[in-house]
Every structure is written in structure tokens, then in C-alpha cells.
Amino acid sequence: MTVTCRRCRSAPAEVQLAYAKLSLCSNCFQEFYVNRVRRTVEEFKMFKPKDKVGVAVSGGKDSMALLHSLKTAFPITNFIALHIDLGIKDYSKHCKEKVEKLAKMLDVELEVFDLESELGFSIDDFRKTVYRRKLCSACGTIKRHLFEVLAERAKTRILATGHNLDDVVATMLNNFFNGNWSQLVRLKPVLKPLMPNQTFKIKPLIKTPEEENLLYCLYSEIPFREVDCPHAHTERLKENKDMLKYLSKGNPGFRHQMLKNFLKLIPILEKAIEKPKLTTCKICGFPSSAEVCAFCKRVEMVRKVKK
Ligand code: AMP
Ligand code: FES
Ligand code: ZN
């Protein structure tokens, strides 16, 4: 027996959202998805419709769905897509092509930072450094710094990323497990800048389960990368995500409930945690806990092995 959509009551239902007790057709699902993005932006006061908003787009399903849904939910907002070409062989070129395609499709401006031509190295070059077994960690540091550079070029102080509900809850479990309280509070939906001229980081997909980003991309015919990063090395996070999916089978609202309670805990944690003492990096001038920041240290290291 075909189930009809609970919203429009005419088309056949294709998507079951157990946590919301909803069965939706593809059109109503897309509407539901975009409405949740709009409500999340409004609930956490992420930006105002007339702001200029930078969107970090990697080419993956999450950030591609993010850019498309933001543009649909806030048609008058000036979004600018920000992409970092990491120079990873058999991967980065493909990602950039997908991002360019979507930016064109949505008529959104695109600003690209090209690691190889602008800084003279690629993420692959870290294979020759002590980071060879944890390339993702070096890559994360480089990306965080370059998001700020790109935002400055784009003249925006708001930076949206595609972190989804599963990313946030899985990372929360990791940080909790490791007692990494300062990183734990950084998972909040709106992260204020460490220094006045830096960006507010926003997560409009914080309430969106990961699997729905893929569905949204497919139903909305959004291009997205089809290959995985050859350095992907996030086993711990993947294990946590698998565990969350397993727990959500018995209790469909599990991830949402975890997030809800975590958001209540953040202000309490923030009061209890000592703020890191920051200075400015003597090389790049970005906030840093040491004389030279993590980004500049890694750049120096990779340049040495390239010589
Ligand atoms: P990740 O840390 O790879 O899970 O990515 C988290 C978020 O960072 C993505 O959803 C994007 O918003 C952003 N991001 C990651 N890689 C890139 C990239 N190469 N260029 C632009 N944004 C990126
Ligand atoms: Fe950074 Fe894969 S995208 S190591
Ligand atoms: Zn620096």
C-alpha cells in the first residue's frame, strides 16, 4: 500500500522522518528542509536578511546543500561561496568543479583560495612531515586560518559552515570523552570571533541529520563531489556517528535530544571554563596561544620539506 504525503496529502510519500513522525513526498521534504534552515538561522540570530554572508563550500553534500538551502530560504541575502583548493591529487580539482557548477547554477559569487599557487604547497605535501599520519589535523588547521583570509577578501564577517547534527553530536561525544572542554563549547551554533576583526562562525545545519543533506542534494539536483578525500581519517568520528545511528533506531529523536540538552549546558560550561590567554601571532597577526600560531608553524614545516 502506498503511503501518501502527510503534508500535501496527494503525492506518494518517499521520505520517512521517524523523529518527526512524518512521511513526506519529495517536494514537501525539500520545503521542510529549507524551513528548518530558515528557522535555525532565525532562532540563533545567525544573520539578518540584508547581511553579506560567506558560505564555506567544500563540494561535499553538506555544504552544497547548505548553500542551496540558504539561497532558497533567504533570497534577498547576499551570499558569497568561499572555497579552498587544497591541491589534493585526484580530489581537489573535482571538488572545485562541483563548487563552480553550483555557484553558477545559483548565480552566487565565488571566491577561491588556491593553496598551491598562493602558498606554494598542497595538503599532499604534509605527507613528508610529521603530520603524515594525521594529515586531516594539519588540513583542519590550514582550513580554519584560510576561512578567515577568504572572509576578509569577500568583505564578510559571517561565515557559515556545513556542520550537521551528526557532526556536532559525534564531535561533542569525542570532546566530552577526552575532557576537552574548550573545544566542546566551540560547537555552539554561533561562535563569536576570538578577535574583533575576525568572523562569526555559524552552523545553519546544526539541527539537520546528515542523511537528509544527501536526500536534499538528490531531490534538488545539486551537484556534489562523488569521491572521498584520499586522506580521510576520521575513524573515531565515524564510530561515534555509527553509534548515534544505531541508538536513533530505537529512539528516533536521540540525536536531537542530545543536541537540545547540550545547548542548555553550553552557557554553564562557558562560565566554568577558563578563557584561553591569547596573543597575536608574530608572523601573520592572527590570534594565537603561542608566539607563532599553529597555521604558521605548519606552513614553515611544510615549506622546509619542499625545499
Ligand atoms: P570538514 O571539516 O571537512 O567536515 O568540513 C566542515 C565544513 O567546513 C564543511 O561543511 C564546509 O562548510 C567547510 N569546508 C571544508 N572543506 C572546505 C574547503 N576545501 N573549502 C571550503 N569550505 C570547506
Ligand atoms: Fe583535508 Fe582530506 S580534506 S585531509
Ligand atoms: Zn600565524
Side-chain angles (χ1 to χ4, degrees):
M1 194 185 79
T2 38
V3 179
T4 48
C5 172
R6 279 282 297 270
R7 286 266 165 104
C8 65
R9 312 246 175 218
S10 58
E14 290 181 28
V15 186
Q16 323 299 335
L17 304 175
Y19 62 87
K21 293 198 176 69
L22 273 178
S23 302
L24 300 175
C25 69
S26 61
N27 282 341
C28 289
F29 167 72
Q30 288 171 75
E31 222 169 88
F32 171 88
Y33 181 102
V34 170
N35 281 339
R36 180 173 47 205
V37 169
R38 186 186 300 109
R39 278 199 315 269
T40 307
V41 167
E42 287 167 357
E43 177 185 348
F44 298 106
K45 299 184 175 56
M46 291 181 170
F47 58 82
K48 296 191 204 84
K50 290 199 173 152
D51 283 336
K52 186 173 191 184
V53 180
V55 185
V57 190
S58 65
K61 60 178 178 11
D62 301 299
S63 51
M64 298 293 257
L66 171 69
L67 181 62
H68 186 285
S69 58
L70 280 174
K71 183 89 180 133
T72 312
F74 300 95
I76 66 156
T77 302
N78 184 3
F79 293 106
I80 171 157
L82 308 175
H83 178 70
I84 305 167
D85 182 341
L86 299 161
I88 299 171
K89 196 169 168 285
D90 299 327
Y91 177 71
S92 294
K93 207 168 151 247
H94 171 75
C95 295
K96 194 169 94 179
E97 278 167 14
K98 299 287 175 181
V99 173
E100 283 170 342
K101 203 167 163 188
L102 181 65
K104 207 167 169 195
M105 208 173 117
L106 299 175
D107 196 20
V108 162
E109 209 183 313
L110 168 66
E111 184 79 49
V112 177
F113 190 102
D114 187 305
L115 208 54
E116 214 138 31
S117 68
E118 301 197 44
L119 292 176
F121 64 86
S122 74
I123 292 299
D124 287 342
D125 291 322
F126 278 96
R127 275 186 305 211
K128 295 169 218 143
T129 71
V130 290
Y131 283 95
R132 65 185 155 271
R133 287 186 200 288
K134 37 183 182 167
L135 272 169
C136 280
S137 137
C139 178
T141 307
I142 301 286
K143 285 196 287 200
R144 276 191 294 280
H145 180 98
L146 295 180
F147 285 155
E148 294 295 333
V149 175
L150 273 174
E152 205 178 308
R153 282 187 190 171
K155 298 192 172 44
T156 171
R157 296 222 21 241
I158 305 166
L159 183 95
T161 57
H163 293 100
N164 59 48
L165 175 64
D166 298 60
D167 289 330
V168 171
V169 178
T171 313
M172 179 194 94
L173 290 176
N174 248 8
N175 287 330
F176 192 84
F177 180 76
N178 293 318
N180 198 344
W181 313 119
S182 56
Q183 286 301 315
L184 189 65
V185 294
R186 290 183 63 81
L187 290 170
K188 55 204 270 195
V190 176
L191 194 60
K192 284 188 189 147
L194 290 169
M195 283 195 174
N197 54 348
Q198 296 214 311
T199 59
F200 282 81
K201 302 222 174 52
I202 61 170
K203 302 182 186 72
L205 299 184
I206 196 165
K207 293 191 172 182
T208 301
E210 189 160 89
E211 62 275 12
E212 289 179 36
N213 291 332
L214 175 63
L215 285 177
Y216 183 77
C217 282
L218 295 173
Y219 285 134
S220 310
E221 295 178 7
I222 298 170
F224 62 94
R225 72 168 161 80
E226 285 133 27
V227 288
D228 284 332
C229 170
H231 309 307
H233 185 71
T234 47
E235 273 80 15
R236 173 53 72 81
L237 221 53
K238 171 91 177 45
E239 268 174 26
N240 284 357
K241 283 185 180 180
D242 289 345
M243 182 180 78
L244 288 171
K245 289 208 171 78
Y246 174 76
L247 291 169
S248 302
K249 271 189 195 150
N251 175 1
F254 187 83
R255 293 168 290 182
H256 304 75
Q257 186 76 16
M258 290 277 279
L259 178 74
K260 196 172 148 203
N261 288 325
F262 174 56
L263 293 180
K264 283 187 197 153
L265 186 66
I266 288 180
I268 304 166
L269 276 176
E270 277 184 317
K271 274 191 202 137
I273 296 169
E274 216 182 303
K275 291 226 164 52
K277 288 191 180 63
L278 288 178
T279 162
T280 46
C281 167
K282 70 174 185 187
I283 300 176
C284 68
F286 274 44
S288 169
S289 53
E291 223 179 63
V292 176
C293 75
F295 169 81
C296 290
K297 276 186 195 151
R298 281 153 190 75
V299 170
E300 200 181 344
M301 183 185 286
V302 78
R303 280 189 176 147
K304 255 188 208 152
V305 299
K306 276 223 84 175
K307 267 188 195 154

